[in-house]
Amino acid sequence: MLFSPFIVELLREKSQCPIRVSADCEQLALDIASVTRQHIGVNTLKRLLGFIADEREPRASTLDVIAHYLGFEHWDALRLYDEQTENSAFDDRDEYLTCFFKPGTKVNITYLPNRSVDMEYLGNCRFRVLSRENSKLMVGDELTVTHLVRDYPLLATDVTRDGVNLGSFTAGKEQGIDFLLLDV
């Protein structure tokens, strides 16, 4: 089981932690413990957030702790809220968590007007730009991308060029992106 993007965003807002890389789960676990006085393992959070590929279902008590942390009475109330919220439509899109990609996987991303970026997955949600057309990204740039969602903007963090962190980058702000996975 993976948390929906909407629940992940609620966790980001509550914890004030970006939850972009697996190491962020340590900070999240500490914050959950300080708020709820209950412990959730870091690896459990990594599984629920997609940083560890594992199909084990979490315990109901674990999900209830997450719900309490987010201000809900229990998990079912949070899940129902998620389903009834317009944001949950994000789940119905063609979405990939990049942490499940194999290193070497190549991705072609296109967005309007007439822009294209080819990237190679390095591991740990990091990509290197191999080629680009009409994009502000440059060949050799490295960036963190945790999700690819068709028809939504590409949200990249920690864009590094020649050893300098340029910050974050958003592509396809207006109409989103399309993408093609190669060598998966």
Side-chain angles (χ1 to χ4, degrees):
M1 173 187 162
L2 292 174
F3 286 144
S4 71
F6 179 67
I7 291 175
V8 172
E9 188 57 35
L10 290 177
L11 289 168
R12 284 182 178 130
E13 290 173 13
K14 175 73 175 179
S15 67
Q16 297 182 349
C17 177
I19 312 177
R20 293 184 320 240
V21 295
S22 64
D24 291 338
C25 293
E26 293 174 28
Q27 179 182 338
L28 178 60
L30 290 172
D31 198 49
I32 290 171
S34 72
V35 170
T36 66
R37 306 274 188 243
Q38 296 187 33
H39 172 77
I40 294 180
V42 173
N43 284 338
T44 298
L45 290 172
K46 287 179 182 181
R47 280 194 301 275
L48 292 170
L49 292 164
F51 294 111
I52 295 176
D54 190 333
E55 295 185 21
R56 286 185 280 175
E57 289 295 316
R59 295 180 180 159
S61 60
T62 298
L63 297 175
D64 283 342
V65 170
I66 296 292
H68 292 165
Y69 174 71
L70 293 172
F72 292 83
E73 186 176 350
H74 47 73
W75 175 253
D76 289 336
L78 173 57
R79 190 175 46 80
L80 182 62
Y81 181 74
D82 182 20
E83 289 173 1
Q84 292 176 342
T85 303
E86 187 174 314
N87 291 330
S88 65
F90 197 69
D91 289 337
D92 297 331
R93 301 291 180 164
D94 191 3
E95 174 183 2
Y96 292 85
L97 292 170
T98 64
C99 62
F100 292 118
F101 289 2
K102 293 185 300 189
T105 298
K106 293 181 179 63
V107 181
N108 170 258
I109 296 172
T110 56
Y111 52 103
L112 296 176
N114 195 28
R115 302 193 192 309
S116 177
V117 178
D118 291 320
M119 303 187 305
E120 180 179 8
Y121 184 64
L122 304 173
N124 200 26
C125 300
R126 294 288 289 173
F127 290 82
R128 179 181 302 116
V129 176
L130 301 174
S131 66
R132 41 82 88 193
E133 184 177 327
N134 302 316
S135 173
K136 292 181 181 177
L137 292 172
M138 302 297 288
V139 172
D141 286 355
E142 292 188 10
L143 50 145
T144 300
V145 177
T146 58
H147 293 75
L148 291 176
V149 184
R150 200 171 314 279
D151 299 326
Y152 276 80
L154 172 73
L155 305 174
T157 58
D158 299 320
V159 178
T160 306
R161 179 176 298 154
D162 299 323
V164 176
N165 188 327
L166 303 177
S168 60
F169 175 79
T170 304
K173 290 180 184 178
E174 296 295 320
Q175 287 140 343
I177 63 165
D178 195 7
F179 58 88
L180 178 63
L181 300 176
L182 311 166
D183 303 323
V184 180

